[in-house]
Amino acid sequence: MKDSTRNIQGWLLFTPAAILLLAFTHYPTVTTFFQSLYTNKSILRPRRFSGVEAYESMFSDPIFWKVFVNNMWLALGTIPTSIGIAILMALIVNKAIPGRGFLRMAYFTPTMLPMIAVANIWLFFYAPEIGLIDKVLEIFGFEGNNWLGNPSTVLPSIIVMTVWKEAGLFMVFYLAGLQTISPELEEAAKLEGSSRWNYFWRIQFPLLLPTTLFVLINAFLNSFKLVDHLFVLTKGGPDNASNLILYYIYETAFSFLDISYASALTIFLLALLALTALAQFFFLDRRTHYR
Amino acid sequence: MSAIEVKNLSRSYGDIDAVKDVSFTVPEKSFTVLLGPSGCGKSTILKMLSGLEQVSHGTINIGGADVTEVEASKRGVSMVFQSYALFPHLNVKENIQFGLKVRKVPAEEREKKVAEAAQVVGLSELLDRKPANLSGGQRQRVALARSIVSDQSVCLMDEPLSNLDSKLRAEMRDEIRDLQKRLGLTVVYVTHDQVEAMSMADQIILLKLGEIVQVGAPEEIYNSPNSVFSAQFIGLPPMNILNLNEIDVSSLDSKIYSAVDSNKNIKDIGVRPEHIVFSKKGLPVVVKSIDYFGGETVFKLTHKEKDFFLREPRQPKIQLGDQLNVSWNLDDMYLFDKNDQRLKS
């Protein structure tokens, strides 16, 4: 076969994927970027080039800063906790204990549920007075709370739910990581008099570092990507106390119909996620260092 | 005085008895090899000695104290694992001093001990390397150094040479043996390789299906095996075992014939390959294959569909398919009964 024929075949094979990528990823990204540089078109005023105006108003928009800070708190609240719980669960189900298969499945179940279903379950937990949490509090004589209606408890409530949802997935990564560690290492450490605790901190945790890095970055990306539950639980309220960047973009674009501003927000989020993804590439290269 | 004394040791997993009522002693500063095919329970015994495996029945004494219920780190043993069990994220130095740090040995003393141990095994130049950047032999040395700095008098080794190539294996055999003598260690060494056992051991404990078959010095087991299993497990090629019903007894040399014929309990006769010689009379054989090794030649012979080996230091002019006769001295023949046990003639 001639080289030119091979090239044509290659391009033909590549075309379907290329069309999809161009049509649904690259083209929208580029148009979004251009839309952010123009004002919105209306019947009264035509579209005009506005440069970085949308970005300027973004940085002076108190709601933008609020949702950004909310998002950072969400990341800070969910990531370390879910990683800690995931490691703990992985250590438990990595042991030869009775009912191990059942436990693994139980820990993983929240991950398999769609976010909307999870939100519905937790809506029942958090409901004031009739909700599970308030019922249990009542038994012990504590005052109930409108968990999702109170600006000071709504974000922590969402953090708790996200941890519950994500820890199971991270557990699977940690379990895989733990299983690559030879059991002879534990025996050798035990023979040297190393306690369980010392073995974890000196051997297991350092060896799980590549896994932790991977999970860390994924958890960070997830904290910006996962907003489905807001549609069910709070719609970002009360007073934007539980609003997150992606949900704010959705609201701006489709409720307030401010496409220009929504585009600027989108480009900001894309840049943030792209930077994180780059960091992932950069750091994960160091994984080889242990092998 | 014996460093280790094992009495009636058993280990079962559900219905499976991995180790059945095993008793033996390991003399102080000796090199004892637990030898046997896979599944004979040798590694299980070693793990029970180390405390990493529970004991079902029996007792273990180390250094005069009953340690059957004592946890692994308090038994006064160190261990070298088959995979070396080096910590991949720690460098050589950190690996060697891991146990010292756990036991909170002061930094100064730690430095000194690590330097000494590294010197002994020839790793002084490589202390900053990670295990991934070491060769198999070097990793093996790190494992040995870790065992040395622990200052335990008993060292347990679980097939430590099985991951090395044959040349390195021969080198490390000498080195480990030398180290054991120099440091006055009591070593219990597990292997399935009879060459390792023969060349290193002061005492071999031969195991089969969780039970001890024979205990003795290498030459003792080689020269007077107590059973067909002992006779065949030690020596390469293994001892030839000829079932009297499968060979033409009448063709045997008259002295051998009368020795065989005198006892009705004899089922098999055994002769080592180096004791069989080509002769004018005797068992008629056909040459099936010839393996030339330089220092010796091994012939595979057939007699009535039964294969056996003859080892010859010279290179006689014999070709494939030649029809010859073989014989052996009466003194070099072993007799076995129907339970595969040795009959003393």
Side-chain angles (χ1 to χ4, degrees):
Chain A
M1 202 187 294
K2 273 197 289 185
D3 271 2
S4 56
T5 339
R6 285 178 67 94
N7 279 342
I8 291 167
Q9 279 188 342
W11 280 105
L12 281 175
L13 286 167
F14 173 63
T15 306
I19 289 172
L20 287 174
L21 266 174
L22 282 171
F24 295 107
T25 306
H26 298 136
Y27 176 72
T29 310
V30 173
T31 36
T32 304
F33 177 67
F34 282 112
Q35 270 169 347
S36 73
L37 300 177
Y38 286 88
T39 56
N40 292 316
K41 195 168 79 176
S42 70
I43 311 164
L44 298 174
R45 268 174 292 183
R47 209 152 81 116
R48 69 171 174 83
F49 183 78
S50 60
V52 293
E53 256 174 46
Y55 293 93
E56 280 167 7
S57 56
M58 176 171 84
F59 287 118
S60 59
D61 174 9
I63 298 178
F64 164 74
W65 284 112
K66 182 157 196 181
V67 296
F68 180 68
V69 169
N70 276 351
N71 236 145
M72 285 304 175
W73 277 119
L74 180 79
L76 201 68
T78 54
I79 297 170
T81 320
S82 51
I83 285 181
I85 293 175
I87 292 179
L88 195 68
M89 293 195 297
L91 286 172
I92 292 170
V93 299
N94 194 36
K95 291 242 167 256
I97 47 165
R100 183 169 73 163
F102 176 77
L103 258 185
R104 283 184 185 181
M105 196 190 70
Y107 286 160
F108 192 63
T109 310
T111 306
M112 296 189 293
L113 295 175
M115 201 64 188
I116 297 288
V118 170
N120 274 307
I121 295 170
W122 282 81
L123 193 59
F124 160 69
F125 290 170
Y126 284 140
E129 291 177 41
I130 55 158
L132 183 74
I133 294 173
D134 277 7
K135 284 267 186 216
V136 172
L137 285 177
E138 200 187 342
I139 295 172
F140 293 101
F142 289 102
E143 194 91 355
N145 180 19
N146 184 359
W147 299 97
L148 298 174
N150 183 340
S152 61
T153 53
V154 64
L155 196 60
S157 299
I158 289 194
I159 287 173
V160 168
M161 191 201 77
T162 312
V163 168
W164 181 84
K165 160 88 178 155
E166 296 217 296
L169 177 67
F170 300 155
M171 176 203 76
V172 175
F173 293 123
Y174 278 110
L175 191 56
L178 281 174
Q179 287 178 346
T180 61
I181 300 176
S182 157
E184 281 194 345
L185 293 188
E186 185 170 7
E187 293 183 338
K190 215 192 241 176
L191 217 70
E192 300 273 17
S194 169
S195 64
R196 192 74 196 73
W197 186 248
N198 179 63
Y199 174 67
F200 176 74
W201 284 113
R202 295 271 335 260
I203 309 298
Q204 276 179 315
F205 190 70
L207 286 177
L208 288 173
L209 221 52
T211 311
T212 303
L213 211 55
F214 174 79
V215 166
L216 205 64
I217 286 160
N218 273 284
F220 185 75
L221 294 179
N222 271 354
S223 67
F224 286 92
K225 280 180 352 198
L226 284 183
V227 291
D228 318 17
H229 51 288
L230 292 187
F231 289 89
V232 176
L233 291 177
T234 63
K235 308 236 186 299
D239 188 23
N240 288 313
S242 66
N243 207 347
L244 301 173
I245 292 182
L246 195 56
Y247 191 79
Y248 186 49
I249 293 173
Y250 167 81
E251 273 188 318
T252 311
F254 302 108
S255 302
F256 314 147
L257 298 174
D258 186 349
I259 301 296
S260 168
Y261 187 41
S263 300
L265 288 168
T266 307
I267 294 299
F268 172 80
L269 182 60
L270 271 179
L272 189 72
L273 296 186
L275 275 177
T276 320
L278 278 177
Q280 176 171 16
F281 268 121
F282 178 70
F283 284 120
L284 286 189
D285 271 350
R286 299 173 59 181
R287 267 152 82 92
T288 46
H289 150 95
Y290 296 123
R291 306 292 138 99
Chain B
M1 188 192 146
S2 58
I4 303 175
E5 206 176 335
V6 169
K7 274 193 201 138
N8 308 104
L9 193 66
S10 299
R11 179 73 175 109
S12 27
Y13 301 95
D15 292 339
I16 301 155
D17 297 323
V19 176
K20 298 171 214 163
D21 199 28
V22 163
S23 303
F24 62 87
T25 59
V26 175
E28 205 166 9
K29 298 183 181 176
S30 76
F31 199 110
T32 294
V33 171
L34 295 173
L35 175 70
S38 60
C40 73
K42 55 192 188 299
S43 289
T44 311
I45 294 176
L46 198 75
K47 286 229 166 136
M48 287 194 281
L49 291 180
S50 73
L52 294 170
E53 183 77 59
Q54 295 282 311
V55 170
S56 296
H57 291 289
T59 57
I60 299 168
N61 264 274
I62 295 178
D66 183 349
V67 296
T68 317
E69 301 295 330
V70 175
E71 64 179 279
S73 59
K74 306 240 162 76
R75 291 191 175 197
V77 300
S78 63
M79 188 154 172
V80 174
F81 291 84
Q82 186 170 6
S83 66
Y84 320 136
L86 303 183
F87 306 119
H89 60 299
L90 301 179
N91 65 22
V92 170
K93 185 180 173 187
E94 288 291 328
N95 261 293
I96 296 174
Q97 65 178 2
F98 179 82
L100 300 178
K101 275 193 168 173
V102 170
R103 273 174 266 126
K104 303 207 162 54
V105 173
E108 223 170 284
E109 197 186 334
R110 224 161 54 204
E111 290 287 332
K112 203 171 133 251
K113 281 192 157 179
V114 170
E116 271 174 22
Q119 176 77 39
V120 168
V121 296
L123 280 174
S124 303
E125 312 293 311
L126 303 171
L127 287 177
D128 296 326
R129 294 259 193 104
K130 291 268 169 69
N133 301 325
L134 297 176
S135 70
Q138 288 166 339
R139 286 179 207 179
Q140 174 70 74
R141 288 192 173 89
V142 179
L144 286 173
R146 194 163 65 184
S147 172
I148 292 168
V149 292
S150 71
D151 266 343
Q152 313 285 17
S153 59
V154 174
C155 180
L156 309 173
M157 300 192 182
D158 189 3
E159 309 219 17
L161 304 184
S162 59
N163 291 338
L164 303 178
D165 63 58
S166 64
K167 185 166 173 285
L168 203 53
R169 205 179 298 163
E171 268 175 46
M172 289 306 292
R173 249 179 5 226
D174 291 348
E175 239 172 86
I176 290 176
R177 181 66 167 140
D178 182 54
L179 210 59
Q180 178 261 332
K181 286 220 177 93
R182 246 190 313 154
L183 303 177
L185 294 171
T186 307
V187 170
V188 181
Y189 185 107
V190 160
T191 184
H192 62 268
D193 182 350
Q194 57 103 14
V195 177
E196 277 175 31
M198 292 297 280
S199 59
M200 297 170 90
D202 293 317
Q203 171 182 257
I204 293 177
I205 298 174
L206 184 62
L207 295 147
K208 180 193 175 190
L209 297 172
E211 285 172 301
I212 292 182
V213 177
Q214 191 169 4
V215 179
E219 52 276 21
E220 210 177 316
I221 297 189
Y222 190 79
N223 293 329
S224 51
N226 66 0
S227 62
V228 171
F229 181 79
S230 290
Q232 290 210 293
F233 201 81
I234 303 235
L236 194 77
M239 183 188 281
N240 297 302
I241 302 294
L242 303 170
N243 187 317
L244 288 181
N245 294 326
E246 291 171 6
I247 61 169
D248 183 5
V249 185
S250 60
S251 68
L252 292 172
D253 178 271
S254 58
K255 266 194 250 164
I256 295 171
Y257 179 80
S258 57
V260 168
D261 201 42
S262 66
N263 190 336
K264 288 294 159 223
N265 290 329
I266 300 171
K267 189 186 114 208
D268 299 308
I269 56 176
V271 195
R272 295 230 173 251
E274 63 269 32
H275 292 146
I276 300 187
V277 289
F278 292 115
S279 64
K280 295 238 159 50
K281 289 194 292 178
L283 222 51
V285 294
V286 180
V287 179
K288 208 173 168 187
S289 74
I290 303 171
D291 288 340
Y292 173 61
F293 293 108
E296 62 178 38
T297 311
V298 172
F299 296 89
K300 192 176 182 186
L301 311 168
T302 347
H303 168 77
K304 291 176 79 179
E305 319 241 310
K306 168 82 191 159
D307 288 346
F308 58 99
F309 296 98
L310 180 155
R311 194 155 78 180
E312 172 67 61
R314 289 157 299 152
Q315 299 156 28
K317 292 209 164 17
I318 286 169
Q319 273 157 12
L320 283 181
D322 281 1
Q323 300 197 358
L324 301 158
N325 295 78
V326 294
S327 189
W328 52 86
N329 281 332
L330 189 57
D331 295 342
D332 294 328
M333 183 170 68
Y334 299 85
L335 305 172
F336 299 99
D337 67 13
K338 63 180 189 323
N339 296 321
D340 291 342
Q341 296 301 303
R342 169 106 179 265
L343 286 163
K344 302 279 177 196
S345 46

